[in-house]
Amino acid sequence: MAPPASPFSTDTVSSITVEEWRGSSSTELSCTSVLIADRSSFKIHRSGSRWNEMSRKILEAFIPEGFPASVTPDYVPFQVWDSLQGLSTYIRAMLSTQALLSAIGVGEQSATVIGATFQWFLRDFTGMLGGILFTFYQGSNLDSNAKMWRLVADFMNDLGMLMDLVSPLFPSALLVIFCLGSLSRSFTGVASGATRAALTQHFALENNAADISAKEGSQETLATMVGMALGMLLAHITRGYPLGVWISFLSLTMFHMYANYRAVRCLSLTTLNNQRGSILLQHYMQNKTVLAPQEVSRKEHIFPTWPSWRRSAKSLHQCIHLGVKASNLSHSDMKELLGAACSHYRKANYLLIEQKGMVQVLIHKEATSTDTLQSFFHSLVIASLAGKSKSLHTESRLWMDQHYSDFMTKLKSSGWSTERLQSGSHVWRAVWWHSPASKSLTYEPE
């Protein structure tokens, strides 16, 4: 007995049709071609024109794969304003570079090659040294305050370009101005690169940070090319007109600062830092609800402030000192820790000390990122109760037992990343133990 014929054998199939679909698994697919073949003919029906296909391929060099589903909603507005501020930077760069070259004597017979080379070398050396020092002092804080440092980076770049522009006006102080301008731009390079990495991780919804970074490079290259062309044109037009140069430079600088502000304001970061955590907890304690990242973004303060301004603002997160150095504790601090370790923080991997509204956090050597996050929110609860309660540790512990789990659950459901607190590095840890009775240290109740 012969085997049954296959449904796809040549005896039963007279033609075959294949549809070609385009798109990644994360986006809506689109049909691009239909192929129909039989024993004697073959036809291809293409959807769209070749021009559409070509424009789509060009566009792929500038937008991430799977766009818009592969990135966060704030990606497009941020990139628009970021490209505009970048464009203004490259236009101004032609004006400042022209002034810089004039200052070192390019085009003058009296200028020497060795003199110009030495000045340029010293300028670059100062910038490299400044970048290392800035990384040493602020490198661990860039992730936790990406918005603020993004603004600071561009402001320092503006300052550096201004130094280049004014350099021909002060020939006697030329070398000092060169070094100050290079120092300012070195801060820009470090802060801008670090914050860009943090923002790329934020935009990447499908572990596509590398793709987003590559497309960001293409966008920046295009903006550079256009900015250089427009800058050369503007430099040619304003040549010999110092007033025109200054008006153009200052106008573009004002636009650059505005575009940066708008770009940063577009961001709705979902990571928890000190300020966002404080906003979220204060709102939850008052309303028992959690704000969405977009709502917190509108409340965030993104400009750097002096310490005196921070104290006058009375923000809760400014009252918290995470990871204090144990050797800096006083006798009164140790007495408070003795009672706290025996009662309120027996099962916690942190200890809290409150004095005059300021809360110091002693983090255990074995504490995890979850413990650090909990210690921060616990500190905020104590800071919020300061001046309102005589038993801060008791009431704060009671609040944490009753509400902390619900608070964290609502944070996760609202889209917040609760794995860790972005609050810089905490290099100081501690291990503590206490004896059943102590004659040298006595605990005085609240």
Side-chain angles (χ1 to χ4, degrees):
M1 180 177 179
S6 170
F8 299 103
S9 65
T10 57
D11 296 333
T12 59
V13 177
S14 59
S15 65
I16 184 172
T17 302
V18 176
E19 291 183 346
E20 178 186 77
W21 291 77
R22 192 178 190 282
S24 66
S25 58
S26 61
T27 59
E28 184 179 352
L29 302 177
S30 58
C31 183
T32 56
S33 300
V34 178
L35 293 75
I36 304 174
D38 56 26
R39 291 187 178 87
S40 59
S41 64
F42 174 67
K43 297 179 181 179
I44 299 180
H45 300 283
R46 301 184 185 275
S47 301
S49 62
R50 291 186 178 274
W51 169 252
N52 290 337
E53 181 68 18
M54 184 183 301
S55 62
R56 184 167 56 240
K57 288 183 178 297
I58 295 175
L59 199 61
E60 286 177 352
F62 299 98
I63 60 175
E65 183 181 355
F67 176 86
S70 62
V71 294
T72 56
D74 53 358
Y75 175 80
V76 172
F78 175 82
Q79 289 301 120
V80 169
W81 285 108
D82 188 56
S83 298
L84 289 174
Q85 67 87 15
L87 185 65
S88 68
T89 297
Y90 303 128
I91 295 175
R92 289 177 302 144
M94 298 303 296
L95 300 177
S96 61
T97 302
Q98 186 181 48
L100 181 65
L101 294 176
S102 173
I104 63 177
V106 173
E108 296 182 6
Q109 294 181 354
S110 58
T112 62
V113 175
I114 188 64
T117 302
F118 174 76
Q119 290 175 347
W120 204 273
F121 164 78
L122 193 59
R123 171 178 176 267
D124 289 347
F125 179 82
T126 304
M128 295 175 188
L129 183 61
I132 294 174
L133 292 176
F134 181 74
T135 303
F136 175 75
Y137 283 106
Q138 293 294 340
S140 61
N141 295 324
L142 297 177
D143 271 349
S144 57
N145 293 291
K147 290 186 178 183
M148 184 194 76
W149 284 114
R150 179 76 182 182
L151 286 179
V152 171
D154 287 297
F155 173 76
M156 297 303 290
N157 189 44
D158 291 340
L159 190 60
M161 297 177 72
L162 181 63
M163 291 289 181
D164 291 343
L165 194 63
V166 302
S167 57
L169 303 179
F170 303 96
S172 60
L174 184 61
L175 196 57
V176 175
I177 295 175
F178 274 5
C179 293
L180 289 176
S182 181
L183 189 66
S184 179
R185 275 189 297 272
S186 70
F187 298 164
T188 301
V190 175
S192 180
T195 54
R196 169 54 65 182
L199 296 181
T200 300
Q201 292 293 335
H202 162 69
F203 292 136
L205 289 180
E206 299 182 350
N207 295 322
N208 57 336
D211 182 42
I212 292 177
S213 180
K215 301 305 167 58
E216 162 69 16
S218 297
Q219 296 169 16
E220 187 172 348
T221 300
L222 180 61
T224 303
M225 294 168 62
V226 175
M228 289 175 64
L230 294 177
M232 291 176 64
L233 178 62
L234 182 61
H236 178 74
I237 294 174
T238 58
R239 184 178 183 183
Y241 299 96
L243 182 60
V245 171
W246 277 101
I247 291 175
S248 301
F249 181 86
L250 294 177
S251 299
L252 287 168
T253 299
M254 293 299 294
F255 175 76
H256 175 258
M257 295 174 66
Y258 173 74
N260 267 297
Y261 172 77
R262 289 297 303 270
V264 170
R265 271 300 179 199
C266 289
L267 294 172
S268 299
L269 301 183
T270 58
T271 52
L272 294 173
N273 66 359
N274 291 9
Q275 184 179 182
R276 288 190 285 272
S278 177
I279 294 172
L280 286 164
L281 184 70
Q282 285 181 275
H283 182 85
Y284 178 83
M285 293 182 72
Q286 295 172 1
N287 305 282
K288 293 298 181 289
T289 59
V290 169
L291 295 172
Q294 295 79 7
E295 296 173 305
V296 174
S297 177
R298 290 192 289 268
K299 294 175 176 289
E300 243 182 313
H301 184 77
I302 59 176
F303 292 106
T305 55
W306 296 105
S308 59
W309 296 352
R310 291 199 293 264
R311 286 194 294 268
S312 63
K314 296 182 179 179
S315 299
L316 283 184
H317 68 279
Q318 301 293 348
C319 304
I320 311 301
H321 295 287
L322 276 172
V324 296
K325 190 177 179 181
S327 58
N328 289 339
L329 298 178
S330 64
H331 187 198
S332 60
D333 294 334
M334 292 295 291
K335 288 195 294 182
E336 183 176 350
L337 284 180
L338 176 61
C342 295
S343 55
H344 307 295
Y345 308 102
R346 184 176 301 173
K347 297 181 180 180
N349 278 335
Y350 58 88
L351 296 174
L352 306 182
I353 308 170
E354 189 277 332
Q355 289 183 343
K356 298 179 181 180
M358 305 300 294
V359 183
Q360 300 183 76
V361 184
L362 201 67
I363 301 177
H364 197 274
K365 180 183 176 182
E366 305 298 331
T368 63
S369 58
T370 302
D371 295 325
T372 303
L373 181 63
Q374 181 176 343
S375 71
F376 174 71
F377 282 123
H378 195 163
S379 303
L380 290 176
V381 174
I382 288 184
S384 67
L385 294 175
K388 304 175 184 178
S389 171
K390 295 182 179 180
S391 303
L392 291 178
H393 294 284
T394 301
E395 291 195 21
S396 65
R397 182 76 264 171
L398 182 63
W399 190 95
M400 292 291 290
D401 292 339
Q402 293 178 348
H403 302 289
Y404 185 69
S405 296
D406 177 65
F407 176 59
M408 296 302 294
T409 300
K410 289 182 177 179
L411 282 179
K412 293 179 182 179
S413 62
S414 298
W416 290 98
S417 176
T418 58
E419 288 79 16
R420 61 184 294 263
L421 176 71
Q422 289 190 332
S423 181
S425 61
H426 309 295
V427 296
W428 297 109
R429 299 291 180 109
V431 177
W432 53 85
W433 58 91
H434 51 85
S435 58
S438 176
K439 297 180 180 180
S440 59
L441 296 179
T442 59
Y443 171 61
E444 299 177 0
E446 298 173 320

